[in-house]
Amino acid sequence: MLAALSLRRATAAVAALAAASLLLPARGDGPRVGGERASVRVGLVFDVGGRGDRSFNDAADLGLARAARELGVTTEVLEPSGAEDREAAMRLFAARGFDLVIGVGFIFSTDIEVVARAFPAARFACLDHAPAPGAVLPVNLAGLTFREEEGAFLVGAVAGLTTATGRVGFIGGMDIPLVHRFEAGYRAGVREVCPACDVRVAYAGMTPDAFRDPVKGKALAVSQAAAGADVLFHVSGATGHGVFEAARDMGVRAIGVDSDQHDEMPGTVLTSMIKRADVAVFEVIRALVEGRFEGGLSSFGLAEGGVGYVNEGPHAAGISVATRARVDALAARVARGELVVPSR
């Protein structure tokens, strides 16, 4: 009797999750069916902004596509519209028996820990995972973090070597420790090559909406440019498009983030700091298929190829040869551990 009751409850729970999935946004192009490891299924849930942000989400999607292509796994994605949808999407993948469920962004941190404990047979990974101080992660959860300060250090050096006014700007999205790491690295990079340079800093807000407010981003950027900042680095998601518009209108240069954002505003975007979410996603999936998956936190920096900046090709044409050589020499020192970049 108890066994039958448990089965009915489990069946009802899965059915409820399936029904809830109908309320979730469309999945885009549907499953990518793999090859020799098609039975291994990986589900990815996008962050705020979703697919098409030309930034962190799209980079994660590139890693997922590479895993389907090179490792032969089957992949699916979901795009939630709010906090409840994020948890429901992860639970849906787990209830369907997916081998690995990936959440894209720090905003998943609390929910993914809850879901991982509820589905101990599945494995989970969270990009930019930010556990509570002293928290012990579930053994089936891999927290994938980045040393953002190292990549920001490089574009800070570019800004410091490029500015003609001695003033540069930093515009963050949500005022949180994750974005503070970018700010700290950027400040350090500017200071390394231009000790007398002034770094102006502004944040768009205190909630996740700060990552999708281009009007606020433009206003902040206009203010900084009007005060003399002639290179502006944004770490603000979709808010950054407003920064690019302001930089174009004010005749100054901008620096993109997470992915190569040159095409957002050609002629205005000087370079972009690259945060290789694609590398982290691909590597955690490869660890899964090779039987090496481990829970716990792991970090990707310059030494692991997890961060960098656009320094080659037409999208880096605004960077002088001398600047590129100086910054690349700094990158090599950081990668070797000879130079430690502050994270706060």
Side-chain angles (χ1 to χ4, degrees), residues 72-270:
V73 300
T74 297
T75 66
E76 289 187 34
V77 301
L78 283 172
E79 298 189 51
S81 58
E84 293 182 358
D85 284 350
R86 282 193 296 272
E87 182 174 345
M90 290 187 291
R91 285 183 178 275
L92 177 63
F93 278 137
R96 290 174 57 200
F98 273 58
D99 300 281
L100 176 63
V101 180
I102 302 172
V104 181
F106 76 94
I107 203 167
F108 284 84
S109 298
T110 299
D111 290 341
I112 202 167
E113 290 186 21
V114 171
V115 178
R117 290 189 174 94
F119 293 89
R123 293 177 177 84
F124 296 81
C126 181
L127 290 166
D128 279 347
H129 188 61
V136 177
L137 295 189
V139 296
N140 58 333
L141 171 60
L144 310 177
T145 65
F146 297 84
R147 297 193 293 282
E148 293 91 356
E149 65 274 10
E150 294 182 359
F153 177 81
L154 302 184
V155 296
V158 171
L161 292 167
T162 301
T163 179
T165 65
R167 297 177 182 174
V168 300
F170 176 91
I171 296 170
M174 188 176 175
D175 192 350
I176 52 173
L178 171 63
V179 184
H180 296 168
R181 294 204 295 269
F182 286 91
E183 179 193 336
Y186 183 68
R187 285 181 178 275
V190 173
R191 186 170 59 248
E192 179 72 23
V193 301
C194 183
C197 280
D198 178 38
V199 181
R200 304 293 177 93
V201 174
Y203 283 84
M206 300 295 294
T207 71
D209 285 340
F211 289 115
R212 49 188 174 196
D213 190 350
V215 174
K216 183 65 173 291
K218 186 169 186 177
L220 294 174
V222 166
S223 176
Q224 291 190 351
D230 59 352
V231 184
L232 309 176
F233 176 37
H234 93 88
V235 182
S236 58
T239 299
H241 188 72
V243 177
F244 292 152
E245 288 183 339
R248 177 198 61 197
D249 296 346
M250 301 289 285
V252 301
R253 305 305 296 271
I255 296 175
V257 72
D258 291 340
S259 298
D260 183 352
Q261 295 193 305
H262 172 273
D263 291 341
E264 285 281 290
M265 201 67 67
T268 294
V269 177
L270 175 65

Side-chain angles (χ1 to χ4, degrees), residues 11-102:
T11 302
V14 173
L17 283 167
S21 72
L22 297 176
L23 302 176
L24 293 168
R27 298 184 190 181
D29 55 7
R32 296 186 183 104
V33 180
E36 59 181 299
R37 297 188 180 93
S39 61
V40 177
R41 295 187 295 165
V42 180
L44 182 143
V45 186
F46 286 115
D47 192 3
V48 174
R51 177 188 280 174
D53 67 350
R54 298 183 182 180
S55 190
F56 200 54
N57 287 289
D58 280 357
D61 195 41
L62 284 174
L64 193 70
R66 181 185 171 196
R69 184 175 62 251
E70 297 184 17
L71 303 176
V73 300
T74 297
T75 66
E76 289 187 34
V77 301
L78 283 172
E79 298 189 51
S81 58
E84 293 182 358
D85 284 350
R86 282 193 296 272
E87 182 174 345
M90 290 187 291
R91 285 183 178 275
L92 177 63
F93 278 137
R96 290 174 57 200
F98 273 58
D99 300 281
L100 176 63
V101 180
I102 302 172

